[in-house]
Amino acid sequence: MDEIGVGVIGMGTVGTGVVQVLLENSDEIARRLGARLRLVAVADKDVTTDRGVDLPEGVLTDDVGRVLDDPDVHVVVETIGGYEPAKSFILRAFANGKRVVTANKALLAVHGDEVFAAAHEAGVDLGFEAAVGGGIPILRAVREGMAANRVRRVYGILNGTTNFILTEMKERGEAFDRVLREAQRLGYAEADPTFDVEGVDAAHKLALLATMAFGARVPFEGVFTEGIRDITPQDIQYAADFGYDVKLLAVGKSEGGRIEVRVHPTLIPDDHLLANVRGVYNAVYVDADFLGPTLYYGQGAGRRATASAVAGDVIELARDVAAGRSGRVPPRAFLEDELAQADLKLIDDVVCQYYLRFTALDKPGVLSRISGVLGESHISIESVVQMGRDAGQAVPLVIMTHEAREADVRQALGEISTLGVTQGAPALIRIEG
Ligand code: HSE
Protein backbone atom coordinates (compact mmCIF):
# COMPACT_ATOMS: atom_id res chain seq x y z
CA MET A 1 0.00 0.00 0.00
CA ASP A 2 1.30 3.48 -0.92
CA GLU A 3 2.28 6.01 1.75
CA ILE A 4 1.39 9.66 1.56
CA GLY A 5 3.33 12.07 3.73
CA VAL A 6 1.56 14.63 5.89
CA GLY A 7 3.17 17.52 7.77
CA VAL A 8 1.42 19.68 10.36
CA ILE A 9 2.37 23.23 11.37
CA GLY A 10 0.94 24.27 14.74
CA MET A 11 0.30 21.81 17.56
CA GLY A 12 -2.42 23.87 19.26
CA THR A 13 -6.02 22.76 19.84
CA VAL A 14 -6.84 22.00 16.19
CA GLY A 15 -3.38 20.72 15.21
CA THR A 16 -3.38 18.30 18.12
CA GLY A 17 -6.85 17.09 17.12
CA VAL A 18 -5.65 16.51 13.55
CA VAL A 19 -2.67 14.47 14.71
CA GLN A 20 -4.96 12.53 17.03
CA VAL A 21 -7.50 11.60 14.35
CA LEU A 22 -4.84 10.69 11.79
CA LEU A 23 -3.18 8.36 14.32
CA GLU A 24 -6.28 6.93 16.02
CA ASN A 25 -8.29 6.34 12.86
CA SER A 26 -5.43 5.43 10.53
CA ASP A 27 -6.93 2.03 9.64
CA GLU A 28 -10.35 3.53 8.93
CA ILE A 29 -8.71 6.15 6.74
CA ALA A 30 -6.56 3.61 4.88
CA ARG A 31 -9.66 1.52 4.11
CA ARG A 32 -11.17 4.57 2.40
CA LEU A 33 -8.05 5.99 0.82
CA GLY A 34 -6.28 2.85 -0.37
CA ALA A 35 -3.05 4.33 0.98
CA ARG A 36 -1.46 5.05 4.37
CA LEU A 37 -1.12 8.60 5.68
CA ARG A 38 2.27 8.97 7.36
CA LEU A 39 2.95 11.84 9.76
CA VAL A 40 6.35 12.98 8.56
CA ALA A 41 6.76 16.05 10.78
CA VAL A 42 4.75 18.18 13.19
CA ALA A 43 6.25 21.63 13.72
CA ASP A 44 5.60 23.92 16.67
CA LYS A 45 7.63 26.52 18.53
CA ASP A 46 6.81 24.64 21.74
CA VAL A 47 8.13 21.08 21.62
CA THR A 48 8.00 20.41 25.37
CA THR A 49 4.34 20.75 26.44
CA ASP A 50 2.56 17.41 26.76
CA ARG A 51 -0.52 17.50 24.49
CA GLY A 52 -1.65 14.02 25.48
CA VAL A 53 -0.85 12.53 22.06
CA ASP A 54 1.88 9.94 21.44
CA LEU A 55 3.69 11.12 18.35
CA PRO A 56 6.03 8.68 16.60
CA GLU A 57 9.66 9.22 17.60
CA GLY A 58 11.35 12.21 15.94
CA VAL A 59 8.20 13.66 14.37
CA LEU A 60 7.78 16.71 16.64
CA THR A 61 10.13 19.53 15.66
CA ASP A 62 10.58 23.27 16.06
CA ASP A 63 11.93 23.44 12.49
CA VAL A 64 9.09 24.39 10.14
CA GLY A 65 11.35 23.56 7.19
CA ARG A 66 10.92 19.88 8.02
CA VAL A 67 7.28 20.28 6.98
CA LEU A 68 7.60 22.83 4.21
CA ASP A 69 10.74 21.66 2.43
CA ASP A 70 10.84 17.88 2.90
CA PRO A 71 9.94 16.13 -0.40
CA ASP A 72 8.34 13.30 1.63
CA VAL A 73 5.61 15.71 2.81
CA HIS A 74 2.86 15.78 0.19
CA VAL A 75 0.11 17.49 2.19
CA VAL A 76 0.79 20.37 4.59
CA VAL A 77 -1.71 21.19 7.34
CA GLU A 78 -1.55 24.78 8.64
CA THR A 79 -3.22 25.18 12.01
CA ILE A 80 -1.39 28.12 13.53
CA GLY A 81 -4.05 30.69 12.55
CA GLY A 82 -3.57 34.44 12.03
CA TYR A 83 -2.19 36.20 8.96
CA GLU A 84 1.55 35.82 9.42
CA PRO A 85 3.58 33.68 9.38
CA ALA A 86 0.66 31.45 8.28
CA LYS A 87 0.43 33.07 4.83
CA SER A 88 4.18 32.85 4.16
CA PHE A 89 4.23 29.20 5.21
CA ILE A 90 1.30 28.36 2.90
CA LEU A 91 2.85 30.19 -0.06
CA ARG A 92 6.16 28.40 0.56
CA ALA A 93 4.37 25.06 0.62
CA PHE A 94 2.69 25.85 -2.73
CA ALA A 95 6.02 26.94 -4.21
CA ASN A 96 7.39 23.54 -3.17
CA GLY A 97 4.50 21.80 -4.97
CA LYS A 98 2.67 20.75 -1.81
CA ARG A 99 -1.07 20.62 -1.27
CA VAL A 100 -2.26 22.56 1.76
CA VAL A 101 -5.12 22.23 4.24
CA THR A 102 -5.98 25.11 6.56
CA ALA A 103 -8.68 26.08 9.06
CA ASN A 104 -7.62 29.73 8.82
CA LYS A 105 -10.77 31.67 7.99
CA ALA A 106 -9.28 35.07 8.85
CA LEU A 107 -6.39 34.58 6.43
CA LEU A 108 -8.59 33.30 3.59
CA ALA A 109 -11.28 35.97 4.09
CA VAL A 110 -8.74 38.81 4.06
CA HIS A 111 -5.94 37.50 1.77
CA GLY A 112 -7.91 34.80 -0.07
CA ASP A 113 -7.42 36.23 -3.56
CA GLU A 114 -3.63 36.11 -3.16
CA VAL A 115 -3.60 32.66 -1.56
CA PHE A 116 -6.01 31.03 -4.04
CA ALA A 117 -4.17 32.63 -7.00
CA ALA A 118 -0.87 31.23 -5.69
CA ALA A 119 -2.37 27.74 -5.39
CA HIS A 120 -3.79 28.03 -8.92
CA GLU A 121 -0.47 29.20 -10.31
CA ALA A 122 1.42 26.39 -8.57
CA GLY A 123 -1.15 23.86 -9.84
CA VAL A 124 -1.92 22.55 -6.34
CA ASP A 125 -5.08 22.39 -4.24
CA LEU A 126 -6.07 24.08 -0.99
CA GLY A 127 -8.57 22.49 1.40
CA PHE A 128 -10.32 24.75 3.93
CA GLU A 129 -13.49 22.93 4.98
CA ALA A 130 -12.78 23.64 8.67
CA ALA A 131 -12.71 27.40 8.05
CA VAL A 132 -16.52 27.66 7.95
CA GLY A 133 -18.80 25.88 10.39
CA GLY A 134 -15.95 23.92 12.07
CA GLY A 135 -16.77 20.24 11.67
CA ILE A 136 -19.89 20.71 9.52
CA PRO A 137 -19.10 19.75 5.89
CA ILE A 138 -20.90 22.82 4.55
CA LEU A 139 -18.31 23.93 1.99
CA ARG A 140 -18.23 20.51 0.37
CA ALA A 141 -22.04 20.58 0.20
CA VAL A 142 -22.04 24.00 -1.48
CA ARG A 143 -19.07 23.25 -3.76
CA GLU A 144 -20.12 19.82 -4.97
CA GLY A 145 -23.61 18.94 -3.79
CA MET A 146 -25.06 22.19 -5.13
CA ALA A 147 -22.82 22.49 -8.19
CA ALA A 148 -25.83 22.50 -10.55
CA ASN A 149 -27.75 25.18 -8.65
CA ARG A 150 -27.94 28.92 -8.35
CA VAL A 151 -27.79 29.62 -4.64
CA ARG A 152 -30.20 32.37 -3.64
CA ARG A 153 -29.77 32.73 0.11
CA VAL A 154 -27.59 31.56 2.96
CA TYR A 155 -28.32 32.11 6.63
CA GLY A 156 -25.76 30.97 9.17
CA ILE A 157 -25.15 30.79 12.86
CA LEU A 158 -21.42 30.68 12.29
CA ASN A 159 -19.97 31.60 15.66
CA GLY A 160 -20.38 29.23 18.58
CA THR A 161 -19.17 31.65 21.26
CA THR A 162 -21.82 34.28 20.51
CA ASN A 163 -24.53 31.65 20.13
CA PHE A 164 -23.59 30.29 23.56
CA ILE A 165 -23.71 33.82 25.04
CA LEU A 166 -27.12 34.65 23.51
CA THR A 167 -28.54 31.28 24.56
CA GLU A 168 -27.37 31.76 28.16
CA MET A 169 -28.61 35.37 28.26
CA LYS A 170 -32.04 34.16 27.20
CA GLU A 171 -32.26 31.09 29.42
CA ARG A 172 -30.75 32.68 32.55
CA GLY A 173 -31.71 36.33 32.00
CA GLU A 174 -28.11 37.37 32.61
CA ALA A 175 -26.22 40.32 31.14
CA PHE A 176 -23.73 40.03 28.28
CA ASP A 177 -20.55 40.73 30.31
CA ARG A 178 -21.33 38.09 32.90
CA VAL A 179 -22.06 35.37 30.34
CA LEU A 180 -18.99 36.32 28.31
CA ARG A 181 -16.82 35.78 31.39
CA GLU A 182 -18.39 32.34 31.79
CA ALA A 183 -17.78 31.52 28.11
CA GLN A 184 -14.12 32.41 28.65
CA ARG A 185 -13.96 30.30 31.80
CA LEU A 186 -15.40 27.32 29.90
CA GLY A 187 -12.84 27.86 27.13
CA TYR A 188 -15.39 28.67 24.39
CA ALA A 189 -14.40 32.30 23.85
CA GLU A 190 -10.89 33.37 23.01
CA ALA A 191 -8.91 35.18 25.74
CA ASP A 192 -9.35 38.19 23.46
CA PRO A 193 -12.92 37.54 22.35
CA THR A 194 -13.17 40.61 20.10
CA PHE A 195 -13.39 38.68 16.81
CA ASP A 196 -16.18 36.53 18.26
CA VAL A 197 -18.37 39.14 19.97
CA GLU A 198 -17.90 41.87 17.35
CA GLY A 199 -19.09 39.52 14.61
CA VAL A 200 -15.72 39.56 12.82
CA ASP A 201 -15.22 35.77 12.98
CA ALA A 202 -18.71 35.18 11.51
CA ALA A 203 -18.02 37.83 8.85
CA HIS A 204 -14.79 36.06 7.82
CA LYS A 205 -16.78 32.86 7.41
CA LEU A 206 -19.62 34.56 5.53
CA ALA A 207 -17.19 36.17 3.07
CA LEU A 208 -15.84 32.70 2.20
CA LEU A 209 -19.23 31.01 2.10
CA ALA A 210 -20.90 33.74 0.03
CA THR A 211 -18.06 33.74 -2.52
CA MET A 212 -18.56 30.01 -3.03
CA ALA A 213 -22.35 30.10 -2.92
CA PHE A 214 -22.90 33.05 -5.25
CA GLY A 215 -19.86 32.73 -7.53
CA ALA A 216 -18.50 36.25 -6.99
CA ARG A 217 -15.61 37.51 -4.87
CA VAL A 218 -17.02 38.82 -1.61
CA PRO A 219 -14.29 40.69 0.27
CA PHE A 220 -14.37 40.54 4.06
CA GLU A 221 -14.44 44.37 4.16
CA GLY A 222 -17.68 44.25 2.14
CA VAL A 223 -19.56 42.37 4.87
CA PHE A 224 -21.62 44.72 7.06
CA THR A 225 -20.74 43.62 10.60
CA GLU A 226 -22.30 44.39 13.95
CA GLY A 227 -21.63 42.41 17.15
CA ILE A 228 -23.72 41.42 20.16
CA ARG A 229 -22.26 43.67 22.89
CA ASP A 230 -25.30 45.96 22.98
CA ILE A 231 -27.91 43.20 23.23
CA THR A 232 -29.59 43.26 26.64
CA PRO A 233 -31.52 40.48 28.42
CA GLN A 234 -34.54 42.85 28.25
CA ASP A 235 -34.42 42.97 24.43
CA ILE A 236 -34.12 39.18 24.34
CA GLN A 237 -37.18 38.93 26.62
CA TYR A 238 -39.24 41.48 24.64
CA ALA A 239 -38.30 39.68 21.40
CA ALA A 240 -39.51 36.42 22.97
CA ASP A 241 -42.82 38.13 23.87
CA PHE A 242 -43.25 38.86 20.16
CA GLY A 243 -42.38 35.24 19.22
CA TYR A 244 -38.76 35.77 18.20
CA ASP A 245 -35.28 34.63 19.23
CA VAL A 246 -32.17 36.80 18.95
CA LYS A 247 -29.27 35.22 17.06
CA LEU A 248 -26.03 36.56 15.61
CA LEU A 249 -26.97 35.72 12.04
CA ALA A 250 -24.80 35.77 8.93
CA VAL A 251 -27.08 36.68 6.03
CA GLY A 252 -26.14 36.30 2.35
CA LYS A 253 -28.54 36.97 -0.51
CA SER A 254 -28.10 37.13 -4.26
CA GLU A 255 -30.83 38.90 -6.18
CA GLY A 256 -30.75 40.41 -9.64
CA GLY A 257 -26.96 40.29 -9.81
CA ARG A 258 -26.48 42.13 -6.50
CA ILE A 259 -25.20 40.48 -3.36
CA GLU A 260 -26.14 41.36 0.19
CA VAL A 261 -23.82 40.18 2.98
CA ARG A 262 -24.28 41.13 6.61
CA VAL A 263 -23.63 39.80 10.10
CA HIS A 264 -25.63 41.27 12.97
CA PRO A 265 -27.92 40.35 15.83
CA THR A 266 -31.17 39.27 14.20
CA LEU A 267 -34.68 38.43 15.36
CA ILE A 268 -35.80 35.14 13.85
CA PRO A 269 -39.22 33.54 14.47
CA ASP A 270 -38.94 31.13 17.39
CA ASP A 271 -40.42 28.29 15.31
CA HIS A 272 -37.68 28.61 12.67
CA LEU A 273 -35.15 25.74 12.71
CA LEU A 274 -32.28 28.19 13.23
CA ALA A 275 -33.93 29.62 16.35
CA ASN A 276 -33.52 26.22 17.99
CA VAL A 277 -29.76 26.08 17.53
CA ARG A 278 -28.56 26.47 21.11
CA GLY A 279 -25.22 26.85 22.86
CA VAL A 280 -21.96 26.51 20.95
CA TYR A 281 -23.55 24.75 17.97
CA ASN A 282 -23.51 26.20 14.44
CA ALA A 283 -26.04 25.82 11.64
CA VAL A 284 -26.24 26.93 8.04
CA TYR A 285 -29.42 27.21 5.99
CA VAL A 286 -28.94 27.32 2.22
CA ASP A 287 -31.66 27.96 -0.32
CA ALA A 288 -30.79 26.93 -3.90
CA ASP A 289 -32.99 27.16 -6.98
CA PHE A 290 -33.39 23.46 -7.86
CA LEU A 291 -32.54 21.93 -4.50
CA GLY A 292 -34.67 24.25 -2.38
CA PRO A 293 -33.83 24.87 1.27
CA THR A 294 -31.38 22.63 3.18
CA LEU A 295 -30.03 22.88 6.70
CA TYR A 296 -26.65 21.80 8.11
CA TYR A 297 -26.13 21.57 11.86
CA GLY A 298 -23.27 20.55 14.12
CA GLN A 299 -20.25 21.58 16.13
CA GLY A 300 -18.75 24.75 14.70
CA ALA A 301 -15.67 24.62 16.89
CA GLY A 302 -13.72 22.34 19.18
CA ARG A 303 -10.74 20.05 18.77
CA ARG A 304 -12.34 16.85 17.52
CA ALA A 305 -15.01 18.35 15.24
CA THR A 306 -12.61 20.78 13.58
CA ALA A 307 -9.98 18.04 13.23
CA SER A 308 -12.58 15.91 11.46
CA ALA A 309 -13.02 18.59 8.77
CA VAL A 310 -9.27 19.16 8.39
CA ALA A 311 -8.57 15.43 8.13
CA GLY A 312 -11.37 15.05 5.56
CA ASP A 313 -9.55 17.57 3.37
CA VAL A 314 -6.20 15.82 3.94
CA ILE A 315 -7.77 12.56 2.72
CA GLU A 316 -9.27 14.24 -0.34
CA LEU A 317 -5.94 15.81 -1.28
CA ALA A 318 -4.12 12.54 -0.57
CA ARG A 319 -6.40 10.85 -3.11
CA ASP A 320 -5.19 13.36 -5.67
CA VAL A 321 -1.57 12.73 -4.68
CA ALA A 322 -2.13 9.01 -5.18
CA ALA A 323 -3.79 9.61 -8.55
CA GLY A 324 -1.17 12.17 -9.59
CA ARG A 325 -3.76 14.83 -10.34
CA SER A 326 -4.85 18.20 -9.01
CA GLY A 327 -7.35 20.95 -9.75
CA ARG A 328 -10.21 18.48 -10.06
CA VAL A 329 -12.69 20.75 -8.25
CA PRO A 330 -12.19 24.54 -7.97
CA PRO A 331 -11.56 25.32 -4.27
CA ARG A 332 -13.99 28.25 -4.28
CA ALA A 333 -16.59 26.21 -6.21
CA PHE A 334 -16.25 28.30 -9.39
CA LEU A 335 -13.21 28.51 -11.67
CA GLU A 336 -10.97 31.27 -10.29
CA ASP A 337 -11.15 33.10 -13.65
CA GLU A 338 -14.95 33.08 -13.41
CA LEU A 339 -15.03 34.79 -10.03
CA ALA A 340 -15.69 38.48 -10.67
CA GLN A 341 -15.88 41.06 -7.87
CA ALA A 342 -19.31 40.95 -6.24
CA ASP A 343 -21.64 43.89 -6.80
CA LEU A 344 -22.46 44.46 -3.14
CA LYS A 345 -25.60 46.10 -1.85
CA LEU A 346 -24.91 48.85 0.69
CA ILE A 347 -26.49 48.43 4.12
CA ASP A 348 -28.45 51.67 3.48
CA ASP A 349 -30.31 49.88 0.67
CA VAL A 350 -31.15 46.76 2.66
CA VAL A 351 -34.87 46.27 3.18
CA CYS A 352 -36.14 44.27 6.15
CA GLN A 353 -38.36 44.48 9.20
CA TYR A 354 -37.03 46.14 12.35
CA TYR A 355 -37.36 45.80 16.10
CA LEU A 356 -36.94 49.25 17.66
CA ARG A 357 -36.82 49.79 21.40
CA PHE A 358 -36.98 53.34 22.71
CA THR A 359 -36.75 54.56 26.27
CA ALA A 360 -39.64 57.01 26.00
CA LEU A 361 -41.55 59.28 28.34
CA ASP A 362 -44.82 57.76 29.53
CA LYS A 363 -47.13 60.67 28.73
CA PRO A 364 -49.90 61.46 26.23
CA GLY A 365 -48.79 62.36 22.71
CA VAL A 366 -45.34 60.73 22.84
CA LEU A 367 -46.30 57.69 20.79
CA SER A 368 -48.04 59.81 18.13
CA ARG A 369 -44.92 62.01 17.76
CA ILE A 370 -42.64 58.97 17.35
CA SER A 371 -45.01 57.19 14.97
CA GLY A 372 -45.47 60.46 13.07
CA VAL A 373 -41.74 60.63 12.29
CA LEU A 374 -41.74 56.95 11.28
CA GLY A 375 -44.71 57.57 8.98
CA GLU A 376 -43.06 60.58 7.34
CA SER A 377 -39.99 58.37 6.70
CA HIS A 378 -42.16 55.76 4.87
CA ILE A 379 -41.90 53.29 7.75
CA SER A 380 -45.05 51.34 8.45
CA ILE A 381 -45.62 50.03 11.99
CA GLU A 382 -46.68 46.41 12.54
CA SER A 383 -47.15 46.64 16.31
CA VAL A 384 -46.29 48.76 19.34
CA VAL A 385 -46.07 47.71 22.96
CA GLN A 386 -45.29 49.93 25.92
CA MET A 387 -43.53 47.77 28.48
CA GLY A 388 -45.03 48.84 31.81
CA ARG A 389 -46.61 52.07 33.07
CA ASP A 390 -44.79 54.88 34.91
CA ALA A 391 -46.63 58.17 34.28
CA GLY A 392 -44.28 61.02 33.46
CA GLN A 393 -41.20 58.73 33.66
CA ALA A 394 -39.27 56.85 30.97
CA VAL A 395 -40.45 53.35 30.01
CA PRO A 396 -39.42 50.91 27.26
CA LEU A 397 -41.46 51.31 24.09
CA VAL A 398 -41.05 48.51 21.53
CA ILE A 399 -42.04 49.06 17.90
CA MET A 400 -41.97 46.32 15.27
CA THR A 401 -42.00 47.73 11.75
CA HIS A 402 -43.07 46.30 8.44
CA GLU A 403 -40.39 46.08 5.76
CA ALA A 404 -38.48 49.35 5.53
CA ARG A 405 -35.28 50.64 3.96
CA GLU A 406 -32.35 50.90 6.39
CA ALA A 407 -31.48 54.46 5.33
CA ASP A 408 -35.06 55.56 6.10
CA VAL A 409 -34.96 53.89 9.51
CA ARG A 410 -31.63 55.57 10.38
CA GLN A 411 -32.93 58.95 9.32
CA ALA A 412 -36.12 58.52 11.35
CA LEU A 413 -34.16 57.48 14.46
CA GLY A 414 -32.03 60.62 14.11
CA GLU A 415 -35.13 62.80 13.97
CA ILE A 416 -36.82 61.02 16.88
CA SER A 417 -33.75 61.67 19.05
CA THR A 418 -34.31 65.43 18.59
CA LEU A 419 -37.96 65.34 19.76
CA GLY A 420 -37.03 65.41 23.46
CA VAL A 421 -39.36 62.50 24.31
CA THR A 422 -36.79 59.66 24.39
CA GLN A 423 -33.69 58.95 26.45
CA GLY A 424 -30.41 57.48 25.19
CA ALA A 425 -29.91 55.64 21.92
CA PRO A 426 -32.71 53.32 20.80
CA ALA A 427 -32.04 49.61 20.23
CA LEU A 428 -32.31 48.52 16.58
CA ILE A 429 -32.40 44.83 15.71
CA ARG A 430 -33.11 43.61 12.18
CA ILE A 431 -35.66 40.85 11.61
CA GLU A 432 -35.37 37.96 9.12
CA GLY A 433 -37.71 35.22 8.07
N1 HSE B 1 -14.26 31.13 17.77
C1 HSE B 1 -15.06 30.38 16.87
C2 HSE B 1 -16.46 30.24 17.45
C3 HSE B 1 -14.55 28.99 16.65
O1 HSE B 1 -16.72 30.64 18.58
O2 HSE B 1 -17.30 29.71 16.74
C4 HSE B 1 -13.60 28.84 15.52
O3 HSE B 1 -14.14 29.26 14.29
Short mmCIF file of all heavy atoms in Angstrom, two decimals, residues 105 131 158-162 188 190 196 201 205 282 300-301, ligand 1:
data_model
loop_
_atom_site.label_atom_id
_atom_site.label_comp_id
_atom_site.label_asym_id
_atom_site.label_seq_id
_atom_site.Cartn_x
_atom_site.Cartn_y
_atom_site.Cartn_z
N LYS A 105 -9.76 30.86 8.68
CA LYS A 105 -10.77 31.67 7.99
C LYS A 105 -10.39 33.14 7.88
O LYS A 105 -10.70 33.81 6.90
CB LYS A 105 -12.14 31.54 8.67
CG LYS A 105 -12.18 32.00 10.12
CD LYS A 105 -12.11 30.86 11.08
CE LYS A 105 -11.89 31.35 12.50
NZ LYS A 105 -11.85 30.33 13.49
N ALA A 131 -12.69 25.94 7.85
CA ALA A 131 -12.71 27.40 8.05
C ALA A 131 -14.13 27.93 8.25
O ALA A 131 -14.31 29.02 8.80
CB ALA A 131 -12.06 28.09 6.86
N LEU A 158 -22.77 31.11 12.63
CA LEU A 158 -21.42 30.68 12.29
C LEU A 158 -20.42 30.91 13.41
O LEU A 158 -19.23 30.67 13.21
CB LEU A 158 -20.94 31.42 11.02
CG LEU A 158 -21.74 31.14 9.74
CD1 LEU A 158 -21.21 31.98 8.58
CD2 LEU A 158 -21.66 29.67 9.38
N ASN A 159 -20.89 31.39 14.54
CA ASN A 159 -19.97 31.60 15.66
C ASN A 159 -20.55 30.99 16.93
O ASN A 159 -21.60 31.44 17.42
CB ASN A 159 -19.67 33.09 15.83
CG ASN A 159 -18.67 33.32 16.94
OD1 ASN A 159 -19.04 33.52 18.08
ND2 ASN A 159 -17.39 33.25 16.63
N GLY A 160 -19.87 29.96 17.42
CA GLY A 160 -20.38 29.23 18.58
C GLY A 160 -20.35 30.04 19.86
O GLY A 160 -21.25 29.94 20.70
N THR A 161 -19.31 30.86 20.03
CA THR A 161 -19.17 31.65 21.26
C THR A 161 -20.36 32.59 21.44
O THR A 161 -20.98 32.65 22.51
CB THR A 161 -17.86 32.47 21.21
OG1 THR A 161 -16.78 31.57 21.03
CG2 THR A 161 -17.66 33.27 22.47
N THR A 162 -20.70 33.32 20.39
CA THR A 162 -21.82 34.28 20.51
C THR A 162 -23.15 33.54 20.63
O THR A 162 -24.05 34.02 21.32
CB THR A 162 -21.85 35.23 19.30
OG1 THR A 162 -21.67 34.47 18.11
CG2 THR A 162 -20.78 36.29 19.42
N TYR A 188 -14.73 28.51 25.70
CA TYR A 188 -15.39 28.67 24.39
C TYR A 188 -14.86 29.93 23.70
O TYR A 188 -14.55 29.92 22.53
CB TYR A 188 -16.91 28.82 24.54
CG TYR A 188 -17.59 27.60 25.12
CD1 TYR A 188 -18.72 27.73 25.90
CD2 TYR A 188 -17.10 26.33 24.86
CE1 TYR A 188 -19.36 26.62 26.43
CE2 TYR A 188 -17.72 25.21 25.39
CZ TYR A 188 -18.86 25.37 26.18
OH TYR A 188 -19.47 24.27 26.70
N GLU A 190 -12.33 33.12 22.98
CA GLU A 190 -10.89 33.37 23.01
C GLU A 190 -10.59 34.27 24.21
O GLU A 190 -11.47 34.98 24.70
CB GLU A 190 -10.48 34.13 21.73
CG GLU A 190 -10.95 33.50 20.44
CD GLU A 190 -10.29 32.16 20.16
OE1 GLU A 190 -9.12 31.98 20.55
OE2 GLU A 190 -10.95 31.30 19.57
N ASP A 196 -14.92 37.25 18.07
CA ASP A 196 -16.18 36.53 18.26
C ASP A 196 -17.32 37.51 18.50
O ASP A 196 -18.30 37.54 17.75
CB ASP A 196 -16.07 35.58 19.47
CG ASP A 196 -15.12 34.41 19.22
OD1 ASP A 196 -15.17 33.84 18.12
OD2 ASP A 196 -14.34 34.08 20.12
N ASP A 201 -15.44 37.18 13.33
CA ASP A 201 -15.22 35.77 12.98
C ASP A 201 -16.34 35.27 12.05
O ASP A 201 -16.07 34.63 11.03
CB ASP A 201 -15.17 34.95 14.28
CG ASP A 201 -15.05 33.46 14.01
OD1 ASP A 201 -13.98 33.03 13.55
OD2 ASP A 201 -16.04 32.73 14.24
N LYS A 205 -16.19 34.10 7.93
CA LYS A 205 -16.78 32.86 7.41
C LYS A 205 -17.81 33.16 6.34
O LYS A 205 -17.89 32.46 5.32
CB LYS A 205 -17.40 32.06 8.57
CG LYS A 205 -16.34 31.56 9.56
CD LYS A 205 -16.95 31.09 10.86
CE LYS A 205 -15.89 30.56 11.83
NZ LYS A 205 -16.41 30.33 13.17
N ASN A 282 -23.37 25.38 15.65
CA ASN A 282 -23.51 26.20 14.44
C ASN A 282 -24.57 25.57 13.55
O ASN A 282 -24.86 24.37 13.66
CB ASN A 282 -22.21 26.21 13.62
CG ASN A 282 -21.14 27.17 14.14
OD1 ASN A 282 -20.19 27.48 13.43
ND2 ASN A 282 -21.27 27.64 15.36
N GLY A 300 -19.49 23.77 15.51
CA GLY A 300 -18.75 24.75 14.70
C GLY A 300 -17.36 25.03 15.23
O GLY A 300 -16.65 25.86 14.66
N ALA A 301 -16.99 24.40 16.30
CA ALA A 301 -15.67 24.62 16.89
C ALA A 301 -15.32 23.40 17.73
O ALA A 301 -16.11 22.46 17.83
CB ALA A 301 -15.70 25.88 17.76
N1 HSE B 1 -14.26 31.13 17.77
C1 HSE B 1 -15.06 30.38 16.87
C2 HSE B 1 -16.46 30.24 17.45
C3 HSE B 1 -14.55 28.99 16.65
O1 HSE B 1 -16.72 30.64 18.58
O2 HSE B 1 -17.30 29.71 16.74
C4 HSE B 1 -13.60 28.84 15.52
O3 HSE B 1 -14.14 29.26 14.29
#
